[in-house]
Amino acid sequence: MEHVLENEPRGEGHAAREFDRVLLSSHALSALRARRVVFQRELVRRFRGRENGAVFRVAALNAGPAPELLDFLATLGPAGRLVHVVIVDGDEASLAHVQDRAEAMRCEATLELRRIEPARAALLREPLSSRPFDFVYAPASFDYVPDDLAERCLEHAFAQLKPGGSLFLAHYHRDLTSFDRMLLEWWLGWFPYFRAPKELARVVTRTSLAKDGTGAGAVRGPNVYVFVERKE
């Protein structure tokens, strides 16, 4: 995944590097890098829009969002002390990698790592923290589950927000080639549950997000973005 995000072709010899360049330029992998830019921009915007001097509480569902989160924290310097981060993931190695990177960059933020799959936390209705969040984001927490579980994941994520807090999601839609899917499934080992934008909209509107939040969506290339703000 880091290789995909760095977007630097590798390989022994010119032919190997050119082949790697072709893989990295695919729609599916370009979409991953686009998500990183969009999420980082939202983190910055939400942090700047908080009440003056207030601690900014953010949760990332899965360790996959960690690169843009760490990029965001790296730009804050001492102001990072005003950020409390909770990263939720079921994989111990992924969480340890995030911890190592945060320590290497001398991160000023409070970093809390929770070892539980977001979908499992939703099924158990387990709170992600003792205090609600200003911002919760997830690029893939429901990409690989059927609709009924996706609804529960969305409900659970939304329940973690304080009034006025924001939930921001990204999801692949079905407009991907067989080559794109092959890269995701056989190179990254990731088997997303693809939904068309209308299907995703139906999943979202069957949850409390439609009643208790105000939201919007956008389609940009292979990505579908959903943004919902909890009503005051």
Side-chain angles (χ1 to χ4, degrees):
M1 182 65 76
E2 286 187 351
H3 175 44
V4 172
L5 295 177
E6 290 169 359
N7 198 25
E8 291 291 338
R10 302 174 186 172
E12 296 182 4
H14 177 72
R17 286 191 294 275
E18 287 303 306
F19 179 67
D20 198 28
R21 191 186 307 278
V22 171
L23 297 180
L24 291 172
S25 65
S26 72
H27 291 300
L29 301 188
S30 297
L32 283 175
R33 293 189 293 273
R35 289 182 182 191
R36 182 181 185 180
V37 172
V38 170
F39 280 124
Q40 184 180 0
R41 184 172 63 231
E42 283 301 313
L43 283 164
V44 171
R45 189 167 74 88
R46 293 289 153 183
F47 176 75
R48 290 176 177 171
R50 78 194 193 290
E51 293 182 9
N52 188 34
V55 173
F56 180 61
R57 292 180 51 77
V58 55
L61 303 184
N62 292 313
E68 61 266 22
L69 184 57
L70 293 174
D71 288 347
F72 159 66
L73 294 174
T75 66
L76 298 180
R81 297 171 187 169
L82 297 173
V83 180
H84 185 116
V85 175
V86 176
I87 298 179
V88 184
D89 196 289
D91 184 66
E92 184 176 6
S94 296
L95 292 175
H97 183 65
V98 173
Q99 182 73 58
D100 291 343
R101 286 196 58 193
E103 290 176 356
M105 61 180 278
R106 297 181 179 179
C107 176
E108 297 275 2
T110 300
L111 183 63
E112 182 181 341
L113 305 178
R114 293 287 313 280
R115 188 186 174 189
I116 185 171
E117 289 287 348
R120 179 174 173 79
L123 288 172
L124 297 176
R125 297 183 180 180
E126 180 173 326
L128 302 182
S129 181
S130 59
R131 295 179 57 193
F133 294 95
D134 298 283
F135 188 68
V136 176
Y137 75 116
S141 65
F142 61 96
D143 281 4
Y144 52 87
V145 298
D147 287 355
D148 57 345
L149 182 51
E151 290 173 25
R152 295 188 66 169
C153 289
L154 287 168
E155 291 269 9
H156 184 253
F158 190 67
Q160 310 302 313
L161 293 170
K162 71 178 187 181
S166 305
L167 175 65
F168 195 24
L169 309 162
H171 174 76
Y172 278 117
H173 66 64
R174 284 183 173 169
D175 190 20
L176 291 176
T177 66
S178 297
F179 177 65
D180 290 327
R181 297 189 182 203
M182 180 191 72
L183 285 178
L184 292 173
E185 295 173 358
W186 299 108
W187 194 28
L188 293 185
W190 180 17
F191 293 77
Y193 191 90
F194 299 99
R195 294 179 180 86
K198 288 184 178 180
E199 293 173 312
L200 182 57
R202 283 197 294 270
V203 171
V204 173
T205 54
R206 285 198 297 260
T207 68
S208 64
L209 281 67
K211 176 173 65 74
D212 299 326
T214 55
V219 179
R220 297 176 187 168
N223 286 334
V224 182
Y225 297 101
V226 178
F227 171 76
V228 182
E229 186 171 280
R230 191 177 186 90
K231 292 179 181 177
E232 294 283 357

